Amino acid sequence: MTSILRWVPTSLVSSALRCTRTYSTHVDVKGKGKATTTAAAEDGEWETVIGLEIHAQLKTGRKLFSPASTSYGDVPNTNVNLHDAAFPGTLPQLDLNAVRLSLMTALALNCTINPRSTFDRKHYFYHDIPASYQITQHYNPLARNGRIQIDKGDNGSSRIFEVGIHQLQIEQDTAKSQTVGSSVLVDLNRAGTGLMEIVTEPDIRSAEEAGAFVKKLQGLLRRVGSADGDMEKGNLRVDVNVSVHKRGSPFGTRCEIKNINSVRFLQAAIESERRRHIEHYLNTDTPLAQETRGLNELTLQTFPLRSKEEATDYRYMPDSNLPAMVIDPAYLTKLRDQLPEMPWQSVERLMTEYGVTKRDVETLLGLDEYEARGVKYFEDVVGGNRSVAKRAMNWIVHETLGQLGKLNKSWSPTIIPPALMRELVASIENGAITGTTGKSIVKHLLSLPSSVDPTTELDSVLSRLGIHISLDPSASDDDGGEGLSEMCLKAMGNQPKAVIDYKKGNEKVVMRLVGEVMKISGGRADARKAKTVLEELLKA
């Protein structure tokens, strides 16, 4: 079915769209005209408790119960199957790939897989769900009791802690709404898209920790291949539950902020709620109302949507059209064996095996979060030789990526084939070519309009650039060129003041003479050897 309707108008406007009041951090106390105690006061006495509900769109290319496409940015209401539009008599056809990807994610999160999971109908009447019920997993979700560790320093986290995963379930997404004038228009392209809902335990204690968790989860989803985690496109959305209490006392009233679509907004919503709760407890005796709230992305303040006490009775019931899913233990074993190395595992392994820095490994991981091609490239370059690992990392991360950034070009493992990079690093390591020459080679290779042939050898690149092998101190000018000693003598003649300063005891000026040698040699000389020869000549 192509287009049932284009941006369909409806008179049903949600309370989120009707409500415009935002929370102000400065209010009058009981009408007495004096300023409230602010949230900053006595802040250290309070603890924030945070739990997240994350909705991640499954990367399957089709909807959960219909073959309609899930491509982003298409004309509204063009990717709509009869089942998505809830035509009578249509039946759901479960996408087994969505189940596979969800199981992989659950295993990566160290969850216990439910051997028998079921689908339920969550009933409510709303303009973004044509059937007036959502197919989800309420009673028997796919997986429970997982965990993920956040390390100190991970995206701003100040402590090491574990976030428990309460459950992971598969469900349908709703349609997309847009307000135009006094109407709400509905695009059904997203309706029926497969989601994983990942619900955490209330183990998070700050906005920074919440951001660290979401970023780590994004890396996990991308590495597993189950979701792209793109919050800007709405492919990953977060509902955050926040409560505040004095340390040592019971948890406070929990409020939920819906549909956060960036880490920055997530942290702003938590901070806004934290301050609002503290100020309420400091300045009023009435209980804090439990409610669902939204975030004003302009003011970064939360505002009320609806009261939790008035929440609809969803009348959950088993979906009669979908049988229970029974997971074969042998299938789970197969999926577990297929799990790739997680990003934080790559960081730990490379730091341990090669002595490289966490920051450099994270830079490699950032080149391709889905397949970790940067990590594989580094290990191909090193070839198991731990002694050159740090130098190889420097040439990949700092030299190659640095020059690519200046050229505004993207990295790929073929732009400088790993075998050629390995030969380049080895030649610099043994002094056959200098670092300056190496930089010239990298700059030349990156300037080429296409990737380098993987069979290309360093000698052919040097020949193409007219670069000869580095000079030896014993080399003579028998072949028409200058030896290193002759170049050092010429450098001393060009820099007489440096020679005088050195003989007066200022030995640091020898580096000025080394620079002159490099200039004379066109970058071909070995700087370390040049320094040795210069010192011998100056002391003679």
Side-chain angles (χ1 to χ4, degrees):
M1 182 177 183
T2 55
S3 176
I4 298 174
L5 54 157
R6 312 280 181 180
W7 281 113
V8 186
T10 176
S11 59
L12 297 175
V13 182
S14 72
S15 57
L17 298 170
R18 291 197 300 266
C19 182
T20 57
R21 182 171 67 87
T22 58
Y23 168 69
S24 171
T25 56
H26 300 285
V27 295
D28 184 60
V29 182
K30 301 179 182 178
K32 294 181 180 179
K34 63 179 179 180
T36 59
T37 305
T38 64
E42 306 177 51
D43 203 8
E45 298 181 17
W46 301 88
E47 182 176 58
T48 309
V49 179
I50 301 161
L52 304 177
E53 299 174 16
I54 295 163
H55 298 85
Q57 180 177 319
L58 285 159
K59 198 175 178 181
T60 60
R62 56 155 284 183
K63 295 186 180 180
L64 186 58
F65 296 114
S66 85
S69 171
T70 58
S71 58
Y72 178 80
D74 288 352
V75 175
N77 294 298
T78 54
N79 297 330
V80 185
N81 179 273
L82 290 172
H83 181 266
D84 306 327
F87 271 50
T90 58
L91 294 173
Q93 301 173 4
L94 177 61
D95 179 14
L96 296 182
N97 191 35
V99 178
R100 180 184 69 84
L101 293 176
S102 299
L103 286 170
M104 293 278 284
T105 304
L107 291 171
L109 288 169
N110 302 295
C111 290
T112 299
I113 307 301
N114 192 342
R116 182 183 183 277
S117 58
T118 58
F119 287 99
D120 310 297
R121 293 183 182 183
K122 175 183 177 181
H123 291 81
Y124 63 94
F125 180 70
Y126 203 57
H127 57 263
D128 62 2
I129 189 158
S132 292
Y133 65 82
Q134 177 188 30
I135 301 178
T136 182
Q137 293 188 306
H138 179 67
Y139 295 111
N140 296 297
L142 189 71
R144 286 194 174 100
N145 301 328
R147 65 189 182 280
I148 185 169
Q149 179 171 300
I150 306 298
D151 295 320
K152 187 175 182 179
D154 281 354
N155 299 298
S157 174
S158 60
R159 66 182 178 117
I160 300 173
F161 67 103
E162 279 195 349
V163 177
I165 306 300
H166 178 70
Q167 69 183 50
L168 183 151
Q169 64 193 48
I170 308 173
E171 64 183 24
Q172 291 174 303
D173 203 352
T174 57
K176 181 180 178 181
S177 304
Q178 179 174 316
T179 304
V180 178
S182 60
S183 300
V184 177
L185 305 184
V186 179
D187 177 11
L188 294 176
N189 278 355
R190 199 174 69 186
T193 296
L195 298 178
M196 290 179 290
E197 181 175 0
I198 301 167
V199 182
T200 78
E201 300 290 354
D203 295 330
I204 300 168
R205 293 295 177 267
S206 71
E208 292 75 20
E209 290 181 1
F213 173 81
V214 170
K215 288 178 181 178
K216 193 157 191 174
L217 180 64
Q218 283 177 315
L220 181 149
L221 296 174
R222 291 165 180 166
R223 192 68 189 92
V224 169
S226 57
D228 61 25
D230 193 335
M231 299 184 80
E232 291 183 358
K233 294 180 180 179
N235 294 347
L236 189 144
R237 305 187 298 278
V238 182
D239 299 341
V240 54
N241 292 277
V242 178
S243 70
V244 172
H245 66 110
K246 282 198 173 183
R247 298 179 188 279
S249 65
F251 285 0
T253 301
R254 172 174 56 88
C255 290
E256 181 182 33
I257 306 101
K258 299 288 287 185
N259 290 325
I260 308 295
N261 62 1
S262 81
V263 171
R264 183 172 74 90
F265 289 150
L266 169 67
Q267 294 177 329
I270 292 170
E271 183 61 21
S272 173
E273 276 299 279
R274 184 184 70 84
R275 290 184 170 276
R276 185 179 75 87
H277 287 214
I278 294 174
E279 290 190 9
H280 175 88
Y281 292 133
L282 288 174
N283 295 290
T284 66
D285 298 325
T286 57
L288 180 72
Q290 184 178 6
E291 59 187 1
T292 299
R293 300 176 70 87
L295 176 71
N296 185 319
E297 296 179 357
L298 297 177
T299 66
L300 300 183
Q301 300 291 330
T302 65
F303 59 88
L305 293 174
R306 59 184 178 272
S307 169
K308 279 288 186 181
E309 284 76 15
E310 298 173 359
T312 306
D313 176 9
Y314 291 129
R315 305 188 315 281
Y316 285 102
M317 62 182 65
D319 191 300
S320 58
N321 292 325
L322 289 162
M325 291 192 299
V326 178
I327 309 299
D328 185 349
Y331 181 60
L332 277 184
T333 300
K334 179 181 177 181
L335 292 182
R336 189 176 283 108
D337 291 342
Q338 293 174 0
L339 278 178
E341 184 176 63
M342 293 297 107
W344 55 91
Q345 293 172 336
S346 297
V347 170
E348 184 66 29
R349 181 175 62 79
L350 265 62
M351 288 175 63
T352 301
E353 290 184 12
Y354 298 104
V356 293
T357 67
K358 179 180 180 181
R359 184 174 181 177
D360 284 345
V361 181
E362 288 176 342
T363 300
L364 290 180
L365 288 166
L367 296 174
D368 182 2
E369 292 185 84
Y370 298 92
E371 297 180 12
R373 292 187 301 167
V375 170
K376 184 178 185 303
Y377 179 82
F378 166 75
E379 295 194 277
D380 286 345
V381 170
V382 172
N385 184 359
R386 192 181 190 278
S387 64
V388 301
K390 290 183 179 179
R391 186 180 289 272
M393 183 69 82
N394 181 67
W395 279 92
I396 296 167
V397 171
H398 301 286
E399 296 299 335
T400 304
L401 297 183
Q403 292 198 37
L404 280 174
K406 294 176 182 177
L407 296 170
N408 198 26
K409 293 179 69 174
S410 299
W411 175 86
S412 79
T414 59
I415 202 159
I416 300 179
L420 180 57
M421 179 63 82
R422 185 190 313 121
E423 193 177 0
L424 174 65
V425 171
S427 297
I428 296 168
E429 187 72 14
N430 62 31
I433 62 174
T434 67
T436 302
T437 300
K439 291 179 181 180
S440 299
I441 293 169
V442 170
K443 188 174 183 179
H444 164 71
L445 294 172
L446 298 184
S447 67
L448 298 176
S450 59
S451 297
V452 179
D453 187 327
T455 63
T456 301
E457 296 182 349
L458 184 60
D459 284 346
S460 66
V461 178
L462 292 171
S463 176
R464 195 181 311 151
L465 294 175
I467 297 174
H468 303 286
I469 210 70
S470 71
L471 300 166
D472 188 273
S474 61
S476 68
D477 57 358
D478 294 342
D479 59 355
E482 290 181 295
L484 185 58
S485 296
E486 286 77 8
M487 289 186 178
C488 289
L489 288 169
K490 183 181 288 188
M492 292 167 62
N494 292 348
Q495 298 280 347
K497 187 177 184 305
V499 174
I500 294 171
D501 290 344
Y502 184 90
K503 290 182 179 294
K504 288 181 177 180
N506 184 7
E507 296 184 355
K508 292 183 179 179
V509 297
V510 73
M511 297 313 298
R512 191 187 309 166
L513 294 169
V514 172
E516 185 68 20
V517 172
M518 299 307 293
K519 181 179 178 182
I520 293 169
S521 70
R524 294 183 294 119
D526 186 316
R528 289 174 294 182
K529 293 179 180 178
K531 183 174 181 289
T532 301
V533 173
L534 283 165
E535 288 173 338
E536 291 174 354
L537 292 171
L538 288 165
K539 292 174 181 176

